[in-house]
Amino acid sequence: GNSVTQMEGPVTLSEEAFLTINCTYTATGYPSLFWYVQYPGEGLQLLLKATKADDKGSNKGFEATYRKETTSFHLEKGSVQVSDSAVYFCALATGANSKLTFGKGITLSVRP
Amino acid sequence: GAVVSQHPSWVICKSGTSVKIECRSLDFQATTMFWYRQFPKQSLMLMATSNEGSKATYEQGVEKDKFLINHASLTLSTLTVTSAHPEDSSFYICSAPWTSGFYNEQFFGPGTRLTVL
């Protein structure tokens, strides 16, 4: 079956620090990969996505590259802000009905 | 982008009562919607796939008689937690896929916090 593994959290960084959140996956077929963000008290929002190998998704300064050879989709940002404090979920989808499989999520806290 | 709403945003009920949660796609039609459950500081667990005009498909281990799903129209799916107990207290989230190009992107509702006393 499909599964997504995220690094253990929580993560606490100072403002303007570099961020990496690791995500690896196992899947049958050719999955699409996603990062979702959940701000405090809100629902999930799509942050970025990649639908095939070597694609790079990017949004709001965040980037992630679909690496088929290492089955990874690590999230990076060069300089985090306090407003980036949230829970980040890595996810994948296969098949026509787009059913998502989520990782456990990781809480990011950014200090001023 | 597409918008998905949920109602209510939070509900408190007594043990043994039933609670209905609505999920609506506001500006698009969704023949399929998904219901998730999220425990504190944990990931989203897919409970079931709601199918317009037919029975829902439940994930393994989810009691279909406990969590009744009705997808009565192309914009509305409801989840009813029957005879709720404290262990049903959780954050329930729905999502609906919306076609953008060749891929169905999922849009999530803001969630419903259920507390069973």
Side-chain angles (χ1 to χ4, degrees), chain A:
Chain A
N2 297 337
S3 68
V4 176
T5 302
Q6 290 184 233
M7 59 185 278
E8 293 289 329
V11 173
T12 302
L13 296 174
S14 297
E15 203 165 23
E16 298 183 2
F18 183 83
L19 169 71
T20 299
I21 301 177
N22 290 341
C23 171
T24 57
Y25 67 91
T26 57
T28 54
Y30 301 94
S32 293
L33 302 174
F34 306 85
W35 277 99
Y36 283 88
V37 58
Q38 186 178 30
Y39 297 103
E42 299 183 16
L44 272 73
Q45 302 174 27
L46 178 64
L47 180 60
L48 53 84
K49 67 180 181 183
T51 56
K52 61 182 187 296
D54 299 325
D55 269 2
K56 176 185 283 188
S58 61
N59 185 27
K60 298 181 180 179
F62 290 90
E63 292 184 341
T65 301
Y66 189 145
R67 301 287 188 197
K68 186 178 179 183
E69 63 275 15
T70 55
T71 62
S72 65
F73 193 55
H74 304 323
L75 182 68
E76 296 183 337
K77 186 173 186 180
S79 175
V80 293
Q81 305 300 313
V82 173
S83 57
D84 293 326
S85 298
V87 181
Y88 292 82
F89 294 93
C90 185
L92 67 82
T94 59
N97 67 1
S98 312
K99 191 161 65 172
L100 287 163
T101 300
F102 285 91
K104 288 188 176 181
I106 187 169
T107 300
L108 170 66
S109 298
V110 180
R111 300 182 300 227

Side-chain angles (χ1 to χ4, degrees), chain B residues 45-66:
Chain B
M45 180 191 77
L46 179 65
M47 299 175 65
T49 303
S50 174
N51 304 299
E52 189 270 334
S54 64
K55 291 183 179 179
T57 305
Y58 291 82
E59 296 299 303
Q60 192 172 10
V62 178
E63 299 176 60
K64 61 179 67 176
D65 295 330
K66 173 77 170 176

